[in-house]
Amino acid sequence: IWPGGEVVHRHEDECEEIAWAPDGSALASVGGDGVVALTVMSPRSTRELMRSEKALSAVLWHGDMLVAGGKGATLVRIDRPLTDAVVRRLEGHKAEVDILGVFMDGEPLLASGASDGELRIWDGDAVRSFPSPEGSPLKGVEFLSRNQVATVDRAGTLRIWDLLRGTAASFGGGGVYRDLTVSPDRSWLATASDDRTTVLWDVQTLDPIVLRGHRDAVLHVEIANDRLVSSGKEGDLRVWSLPARRT
């Protein structure tokens, strides 16, 4: 443990999101200052990879690349971030990009979600667009398989997109969605919403299990080691056991 919680980088505005490299060797961060910063753990060094004119709110690792998104329809891919950091802009979104997802089995796929409800899937240089019927801001995106993606939006709709057919099945959750996560084996989805519920969804059947206990809006959900963790606006952090897997 670093004594005192060592400051490795200080953004000029709010630090909006961070992402560890898959091997834990480096930490990427983005902020309201439009900066993508990279901190290498050993030997310790921090540098600014790029600076956007608009605030950035999302970052993730896409294999050995970095992807960042934010206001002004900004979406960038940074190749070789640990060496010469080549920045490439991914054009096409018309609204703020603040939701990102990645599928790493086989050739990597990237998903980006925007505040106008548009979902985009990037496969190398090829891109496909899946606009939301209502145009509601997307609040979460997760790959279920190479050809299936789940999204949630502020209108309170969970959608399971069939990327081959370009169609989606819709499921209502009752409240404004705040977050979405998928279990490592992609057998469970979990959603967080403003109606104080966390909902666990069986990916095969899409049957919902409603979990109650938070006293205010549920803001974030994560699944790991057969446990679901939810955090609420009231400050509570709750841990739930996942149902036993069927054999």
Side-chain angles (χ1 to χ4, degrees):
I1 303 297
W2 295 331
E6 180 181 349
V7 176
V8 296
H9 179 72
R10 179 170 284 119
H11 284 271
E12 297 167 9
D13 203 331
E14 293 182 12
C15 180
E16 296 286 351
E17 192 164 69
I18 58 176
W20 282 104
D23 62 2
S25 64
L27 179 69
S29 60
V30 296
D33 54 4
V35 167
V36 180
L38 183 72
T39 298
V40 176
M41 295 296 109
S42 180
R44 183 70 54 75
S45 65
T46 300
R47 62 195 179 103
E48 183 179 306
L49 299 183
M50 65 157 287
R51 181 181 290 264
S52 170
E53 294 181 358
K54 302 290 186 178
L56 298 176
S57 56
V59 64
L60 59 64
W61 290 84
H62 182 37
D64 58 359
M65 301 175 287
L66 272 173
V67 180
K71 293 186 180 298
T74 301
L75 183 62
V76 296
R77 191 185 81 191
I78 304 175
D79 298 337
R80 303 187 298 277
L82 296 172
T83 54
D84 53 342
V86 177
V87 178
R88 176 187 176 189
R89 296 191 176 274
L90 303 179
E91 306 288 350
H93 277 293
K94 298 178 177 62
E96 178 177 353
V97 181
D98 54 6
I99 299 297
L100 299 171
V102 66
F103 185 77
M104 293 302 299
D105 291 352
E107 290 297 317
L109 295 177
L110 171 69
S112 57
S115 60
D116 61 359
E118 183 189 20
L119 169 70
R120 284 183 167 246
I121 304 297
W122 309 80
D123 183 359
D125 291 328
V127 59
R128 288 171 287 170
S129 174
F130 301 88
S132 166
E134 295 87 7
S136 180
L138 295 182
K139 301 304 294 181
V141 59
E142 293 285 358
F143 280 93
L144 304 181
S145 70
R146 188 168 188 84
N147 298 311
Q148 197 174 45
V149 171
T151 63
V152 291
D153 60 32
R154 286 195 61 81
T157 303
L158 165 68
R159 285 190 174 87
I160 308 299
W161 290 90
D162 183 321
L163 302 183
L164 294 179
R165 295 183 175 89
T167 58
S170 300
F171 304 85
V176 173
Y177 281 123
R178 293 290 193 113
D179 198 17
L180 169 72
T181 193
V182 67
S183 62
D185 64 1
R186 301 191 184 97
S187 63
W188 297 98
L189 281 170
T191 54
S193 74
D194 275 3
D195 66 359
R196 300 182 292 180
T197 64
T198 303
V199 180
L200 191 63
W201 305 80
D202 183 316
V203 169
Q204 293 299 317
T205 66
L206 271 303
D207 291 333
I209 301 173
V210 180
L211 306 174
R212 304 183 188 278
H214 283 285
R215 293 169 288 117
D216 207 332
V218 185
L219 302 179
H220 299 290
V221 282
E222 289 289 343
I223 298 176
N225 300 322
D226 295 323
R227 296 289 187 274
L228 165 63
V229 179
S230 58
S231 64
K233 192 174 181 180
E234 79 282 0
D236 290 350
L237 192 67
R238 290 179 173 266
V239 180
W240 317 78
S241 295
L242 295 185
R245 288 185 173 86
R246 293 180 296 274
T247 58

